Amino acid sequence: MKALTDSTAAKPTAARDGTIYQVAQRAGVSIATVSRALRGTVAVAPSTRERVLKAVDELAYTPSRSARSLAEGRNAANGIVFPDLSGPYFAEVVLGYEEVAADHNRGVLILSTHGREAAGEMVLDLATRVDGLVVMGRTVGDGVLRELADKGLPLVLLAREPIAGADSLCTENEASAYALTRHLLDHGYDSFEFLGDADASPDTAGRWRGFVHALGDAEVDVPAEPVRCAFGEVAGRAAADVLLRDHPPRALVCANDEIALGATAAAEDLGLRIPDDLAVTGWDDVMAAQHSRPGLTTVRQPMRELGARAARRLHERLAGETSEPRHEVLPTQLVQRASCGHHLKEDWDR
Amino acid sequence: MKALTDSTAAKPTAARDGTIYQVAQRAGVSIATVSRALRGTVAVAPSTRERVLKAVDELAYTPSRSARSLAEGRNAANGIVFPDLSGPYFAEVVLGYEEVAADHNRGVLILSTHGREAAGEMVLDLATRVDGLVVMGRTVGDGVLRELADKGLPLVLLAREPIAGADSLCTENEASAYALTRHLLDHGYDSFEFLGDADASPDTAGRWRGFVHALGDAEVDVPAEPVRCAFGEVAGRAAADVLLRDHPPRALVCANDEIALGATAAAEDLGLRIPDDLAVTGWDDVMAAQHSRPGLTTVRQPMRELGARAARRLHERLAGETSEPRHEVLPTQLVQRASCGHHLKEDWDR
DNA sequence: TTGTAGGCGTTATCAC
DNA sequence: GTGATAACGCCTACAA
């Protein structure tokens, strides 16, 4: 019978689960109409739209993301790459980023490299799933970034040296280090050390430069090198322990709060009082900086805003903005507490 | 001329940028061979593979993710939904999750709901981009979760009540609260309050239950209600301020460390000494808990492991495991510091 | 081992 | 306003 033949072989495009074809069939329209009714891109007769929406509802239809991406040629998603999420620093950045991206209806893919060998390939893979990418710090080599930039992928670099063809954002490092060191000088200290690895992080490198610069301007002895130290409390404590036994300075500028807190512990172990015997400072203003005794003098950075701004910049690029790459530096704030020396109103921050 | 006609119209499938067709043409093979050579799914003659890889390299070809997803019917990505990332809690969970997922070559999409109205729809949207989903706490209504579970999307619930058809993971709440409260009782305290909103978080609800249970067992007066208080230092401080002015207990059990730290500040404002006048405890063992003075007694949870385990469970499901949903409870650890009262070796944790 | 061809589920361009 | 139908780029039987 003809009908049988038809129903068996006629529909070459009949699809399986909840596809646009099923909706079309149920609503008695073509798939084109379903598509139009759903995205409201072109006028559809109200009665038709009604039927379509009803069918959509009854079938609990959800368009296929990959099919749509393929047809549209875009992923409707952004990515963000960071080394780690353990400190509060990156979490805040990611959060600010996610919030803005989500407001623009874009998915957010994260990739934490934590020093993996394959970081480069992972980033390359990530790049295939997104329309734009934010890359933090020294997570991947410049080669990978250049490759992506050359492919035309919108790129925003965070807290790292700019590369050609990509926007970049960072916070004041050299300036904040200068101000912080200047503050310590004003306290009257005359012997300094810097704890952190300037080779491992562009941020740290900038802080070291500002530190050196300030001491130089004040004609105070400048250490030849920063005391190498990974980020983290344990590393800070260990490095400080060696340093403080050997030739303790009067003031210790640490590349971030965790190092500083570790150094504080090491100092206490050695019976040194802070700030009387040793001044200690950090960066980031983590929660513990406020709660430790004495309170840790540090530099607050607008981390959330950093992430949010990166998302906005990316969105502009994705929206077609084609201006020259911009390189923005966000202001920071010196947070004075007691660890850098006695102030008139001690520990005023709390 | 025939050749002309051919070159003009013959290739109906010629594509534009860096597609598999270009690679095939350059290597002098069919697209099927390119596909096979690239994914190593079927044997390809070494010489052929060579040519293909050369072409791939020269063209800097990268397969289209959406095309692949469409053809394969999967996204090669997982999602994770959490309320916020501001505390260290969620960051750790996400980190643990990402690490394992990345090891399995899967992308990770994040979604932070921070109480947005549209959370449900956002999660539904996220669900279209992933093959499996982890959902934390009370970020979306059960309706949405049920809908996803019914669609067959592998789901792992974290720190929340289970629903039918989904795996779930959480840490000991009731048990840790019981142990913590028991510890306070052993210190000799006899008047207690609980700070936190049991309605807002399943974790908090469990902690409240354990708290009540322990007091009941000890035949000590049980507060009728927890003192409502949002998560966060500011909220904790404000709530504690009211409570402590009104009718201060001897021991204050807070639903997390941030609340506890806020309460500590409020106590100090009122001239109360900790632990002499008031004992305070929290949950999470954030960095500041260790650095505050006195050190904060708290409960440490394996947050990273929670995320990692969720990723593994999801991976098992995606790999086809079809056993009954499992509900796992991860052990916690009581961290005694000085805020709960004087111990023999004070502040031994540091 | 390799090529042919038919999906995968949308979007968008044409005609009608 | 609506319906065919050609992309979109890849995967994978099925043949050869």
Side-chain angles (χ1 to χ4, degrees), chain A residues 285-296 337 350, chain B residues 233 257-258 260-262 264-265 286-294:
Chain A
D285 193 20
V286 301
M287 215 168 96
Q290 182 189 149
H291 288 284
S292 71
R293 287 290 165 269
L296 180 64
R337 295 205 179 92
R350 181 169 172 181
Chain B
E233 237 181 301
D257 286 351
E258 294 177 64
L261 260 9
T264 300
V286 302
M287 214 168 99
Q290 181 189 149
H291 288 284
S292 71
R293 286 289 164 273

CSV table of all heavy atoms in Angstrom, one decimal, chain A residues 285-296 337 350, chain B residues 233 257-258 260-262 264-265 286-294:
chain,number,residue,atom,x,y,z
A,285,ASP,N,45.2,41.5,50.5
A,285,ASP,CA,44.2,41.7,51.5
A,285,ASP,C,43.2,40.5,51.6
A,285,ASP,O,42.0,40.7,51.5
A,285,ASP,CB,43.4,43.0,51.3
A,285,ASP,CG,42.7,43.3,52.6
A,285,ASP,OD1,43.0,42.8,53.7
A,285,ASP,OD2,41.7,44.1,52.5
A,286,VAL,N,43.8,39.3,51.8
A,286,VAL,CA,42.9,38.2,52.1
A,286,VAL,C,42.3,38.3,53.4
A,286,VAL,O,42.7,39.1,54.3
A,286,VAL,CB,43.7,36.9,52.0
A,286,VAL,CG1,44.4,36.7,50.7
A,286,VAL,CG2,44.7,36.8,53.1
A,287,MET,N,41.3,37.5,53.7
A,287,MET,CA,40.5,37.6,54.9
A,287,MET,C,41.5,37.4,56.1
A,287,MET,O,41.3,38.1,57.1
A,287,MET,CB,39.5,36.5,55.0
A,287,MET,CG,38.2,36.9,55.6
A,287,MET,SD,36.9,35.7,55.3
A,287,MET,CE,37.0,34.6,56.7
A,288,ALA,N,42.4,36.5,56.0
A,288,ALA,CA,43.3,36.2,57.2
A,288,ALA,C,44.2,37.4,57.5
A,288,ALA,O,44.6,37.6,58.6
A,288,ALA,CB,44.1,35.0,56.9
A,289,ALA,N,44.4,38.3,56.5
A,289,ALA,CA,45.2,39.5,56.7
A,289,ALA,C,44.6,40.4,57.7
A,289,ALA,O,45.3,41.0,58.5
A,289,ALA,CB,45.5,40.2,55.4
A,290,GLN,N,43.3,40.4,57.7
A,290,GLN,CA,42.6,41.3,58.6
A,290,GLN,C,42.5,40.6,60.0
A,290,GLN,O,42.4,41.3,61.0
A,290,GLN,CB,41.2,41.5,58.0
A,290,GLN,CG,40.3,42.4,58.9
A,290,GLN,CD,38.9,42.4,58.3
A,290,GLN,OE1,38.0,42.6,59.1
A,290,GLN,NE2,38.8,42.2,57.0
A,291,HIS,N,42.4,39.3,60.0
A,291,HIS,CA,42.2,38.6,61.3
A,291,HIS,C,43.5,38.2,62.0
A,291,HIS,O,43.4,37.9,63.2
A,291,HIS,CB,41.3,37.4,61.0
A,291,HIS,CG,39.9,37.7,60.7
A,291,HIS,ND1,39.0,38.1,61.7
A,291,HIS,CD2,39.2,37.8,59.6
A,291,HIS,CE1,37.9,38.4,61.1
A,291,HIS,NE2,38.0,38.2,59.8
A,292,SER,N,44.6,38.2,61.3
A,292,SER,CA,45.8,37.8,62.0
A,292,SER,C,46.2,38.9,63.0
A,292,SER,O,45.8,40.1,62.9
A,292,SER,CB,46.9,37.6,61.0
A,292,SER,OG,47.4,38.8,60.5
A,293,ARG,N,47.0,38.5,64.0
A,293,ARG,CA,47.5,39.5,65.0
A,293,ARG,C,49.0,39.5,64.9
A,293,ARG,O,49.6,38.5,65.1
A,293,ARG,CB,47.0,39.1,66.4
A,293,ARG,CG,45.5,39.4,66.6
A,293,ARG,CD,45.2,40.9,66.7
A,293,ARG,NE,43.8,41.2,66.5
A,293,ARG,CZ,43.2,41.4,65.4
A,293,ARG,NH1,43.9,41.4,64.2
A,293,ARG,NH2,42.0,41.7,65.3
A,294,PRO,N,49.6,40.6,64.7
A,294,PRO,CA,49.0,41.9,64.4
A,294,PRO,C,48.4,41.9,62.9
A,294,PRO,O,48.8,41.1,62.1
A,294,PRO,CB,50.1,42.9,64.4
A,294,PRO,CG,51.3,42.0,64.0
A,294,PRO,CD,51.1,40.7,64.7
A,295,GLY,N,47.5,42.7,62.7
A,295,GLY,CA,46.9,42.8,61.4
A,295,GLY,C,47.9,43.0,60.3
A,295,GLY,O,48.9,43.7,60.6
A,296,LEU,N,47.8,42.4,59.2
A,296,LEU,CA,48.8,42.5,58.1
A,296,LEU,C,48.6,43.7,57.2
A,296,LEU,O,47.5,43.8,56.6
A,296,LEU,CB,48.8,41.2,57.3
A,296,LEU,CG,49.8,41.1,56.2
A,296,LEU,CD1,51.2,41.0,56.7
A,296,LEU,CD2,49.5,39.8,55.3
A,337,ARG,N,47.8,48.2,58.4
A,337,ARG,CA,47.5,47.6,59.7
A,337,ARG,C,48.7,47.6,60.6
A,337,ARG,O,49.5,48.5,60.4
A,337,ARG,CB,47.0,46.1,59.4
A,337,ARG,CG,45.7,46.1,58.6
A,337,ARG,CD,44.8,44.9,58.9
A,337,ARG,NE,43.6,44.9,58.1
A,337,ARG,CZ,43.5,44.4,56.9
A,337,ARG,NH1,44.5,43.8,56.3
A,337,ARG,NH2,42.3,44.4,56.2
A,350,ARG,N,40.1,47.8,61.6
A,350,ARG,CA,39.0,46.9,62.2
A,350,ARG,C,38.3,47.6,63.3
A,350,ARG,O,37.2,47.7,63.5
A,350,ARG,CB,39.6,45.6,62.7
A,350,ARG,CG,38.6,44.7,63.2
A,350,ARG,CD,39.2,43.4,63.5
A,350,ARG,NE,38.3,42.5,64.2
A,350,ARG,CZ,38.5,41.3,64.5
A,350,ARG,NH1,39.7,40.8,64.2
A,350,ARG,NH2,37.7,40.6,65.2
B,233,GLU,N,30.7,37.5,57.1
B,233,GLU,CA,31.2,38.1,58.3
B,233,GLU,C,30.3,39.2,58.7
B,233,GLU,O,30.0,39.4,59.9
B,233,GLU,CB,32.6,38.7,58.0
B,233,GLU,CG,33.6,38.2,58.9
B,233,GLU,CD,35.0,38.8,58.6
B,233,GLU,OE1,35.4,38.6,57.5
B,233,GLU,OE2,35.5,39.4,59.5
B,257,ASP,N,32.7,29.6,59.4
B,257,ASP,CA,33.8,30.4,60.0
B,257,ASP,C,33.5,31.9,59.8
B,257,ASP,O,33.9,32.7,60.7
B,257,ASP,CB,35.1,30.0,59.4
B,257,ASP,CG,35.6,28.6,59.9
B,257,ASP,OD1,35.0,28.1,60.8
B,257,ASP,OD2,36.6,28.1,59.3
B,258,GLU,N,33.0,32.2,58.7
B,258,GLU,CA,32.8,33.7,58.4
B,258,GLU,C,31.9,34.3,59.4
B,258,GLU,O,32.1,35.4,60.0
B,258,GLU,CB,32.4,33.9,57.0
B,258,GLU,CG,33.5,33.5,56.0
B,258,GLU,CD,33.1,33.7,54.6
B,258,GLU,OE1,32.8,34.8,54.2
B,258,GLU,OE2,33.0,32.7,53.9
B,260,ALA,N,31.3,33.0,62.3
B,260,ALA,CA,32.0,33.0,63.6
B,260,ALA,C,33.0,34.1,63.8
B,260,ALA,O,33.1,34.7,64.9
B,260,ALA,CB,32.7,31.6,63.7
B,261,LEU,N,33.7,34.4,62.7
B,261,LEU,CA,34.7,35.5,62.8
B,261,LEU,C,33.9,36.9,63.0
B,261,LEU,O,34.4,37.8,63.7
B,261,LEU,CB,35.5,35.6,61.5
B,261,LEU,CG,36.9,35.0,61.5
B,261,LEU,CD1,37.3,34.2,62.7
B,261,LEU,CD2,37.1,34.1,60.2
B,262,GLY,N,32.8,37.0,62.3
B,262,GLY,CA,32.0,38.2,62.5
B,262,GLY,C,31.5,38.3,64.0
B,262,GLY,O,31.5,39.4,64.6
B,264,THR,N,32.9,37.0,66.5
B,264,THR,CA,34.0,37.3,67.4
B,264,THR,C,34.3,38.8,67.4
B,264,THR,O,34.5,39.4,68.5
B,264,THR,CB,35.3,36.6,66.8
B,264,THR,OG1,35.1,35.2,66.8
B,264,THR,CG2,36.5,36.9,67.6
B,265,ALA,N,34.2,39.4,66.3
B,265,ALA,CA,34.4,40.9,66.2
B,265,ALA,C,33.3,41.6,67.1
B,265,ALA,O,33.6,42.5,67.8
B,265,ALA,CB,34.3,41.4,64.8
B,286,VAL,N,38.6,27.9,57.4
B,286,VAL,CA,39.2,28.9,56.4
B,286,VAL,C,40.6,29.4,57.0
B,286,VAL,O,40.9,29.2,58.1
B,286,VAL,CB,38.3,30.1,56.2
B,286,VAL,CG1,36.9,29.6,55.6
B,286,VAL,CG2,38.1,30.9,57.4
B,287,MET,N,41.3,30.0,56.1
B,287,MET,CA,42.7,30.4,56.5
B,287,MET,C,42.6,31.3,57.7
B,287,MET,O,43.4,31.2,58.6
B,287,MET,CB,43.3,31.1,55.3
B,287,MET,CG,44.8,30.9,55.2
B,287,MET,SD,45.4,31.5,53.6
B,287,MET,CE,46.0,33.1,54.0
B,288,ALA,N,41.6,32.2,57.7
B,288,ALA,CA,41.5,33.2,58.8
B,288,ALA,C,41.2,32.5,60.1
B,288,ALA,O,41.5,33.1,61.2
B,288,ALA,CB,40.5,34.2,58.5
B,289,ALA,N,40.6,31.3,60.1
B,289,ALA,CA,40.3,30.7,61.3
B,289,ALA,C,41.6,30.3,62.1
B,289,ALA,O,41.7,30.3,63.3
B,289,ALA,CB,39.5,29.4,61.0
B,290,GLN,N,42.6,30.0,61.3
B,290,GLN,CA,43.9,29.6,61.9
B,290,GLN,C,44.7,30.9,62.4
B,290,GLN,O,45.4,30.8,63.3
B,290,GLN,CB,44.7,28.9,60.9
B,290,GLN,CG,46.0,28.4,61.3
B,290,GLN,CD,46.8,27.9,60.2
B,290,GLN,OE1,48.0,27.9,60.2
B,290,GLN,NE2,46.2,27.3,59.2
B,291,HIS,N,44.4,32.0,61.7
B,291,HIS,CA,45.2,33.2,62.0
B,291,HIS,C,44.6,34.1,63.0
B,291,HIS,O,45.2,35.0,63.5
B,291,HIS,CB,45.5,33.9,60.7
B,291,HIS,CG,46.5,33.2,59.8
B,291,HIS,ND1,47.9,33.2,60.1
B,291,HIS,CD2,46.4,32.4,58.7
B,291,HIS,CE1,48.5,32.5,59.2
B,291,HIS,NE2,47.6,32.0,58.3
B,292,SER,N,43.3,33.9,63.2
B,292,SER,CA,42.7,34.9,64.1
B,292,SER,C,43.2,34.6,65.5
B,292,SER,O,43.6,33.5,65.8
B,292,SER,CB,41.2,34.8,64.0
B,292,SER,OG,40.7,33.5,64.6
B,293,ARG,N,43.0,35.5,66.4
B,293,ARG,CA,43.4,35.4,67.8
B,293,ARG,C,42.2,35.6,68.7
B,293,ARG,O,41.6,36.7,68.6
B,293,ARG,CB,44.6,36.3,68.2
B,293,ARG,CG,45.9,35.9,67.6
B,293,ARG,CD,46.5,34.7,68.3
B,293,ARG,NE,47.5,34.1,67.5
B,293,ARG,CZ,47.3,33.2,66.6
B,293,ARG,NH1,46.1,32.8,66.3
B,293,ARG,NH2,48.4,32.7,65.9
B,294,PRO,N,41.8,34.7,69.5
B,294,PRO,CA,42.3,33.3,69.5
B,294,PRO,C,41.9,32.5,68.3
B,294,PRO,O,41.0,32.8,67.6
B,294,PRO,CB,41.6,32.7,70.8
B,294,PRO,CG,40.3,33.5,70.8
B,294,PRO,CD,40.6,34.8,70.3
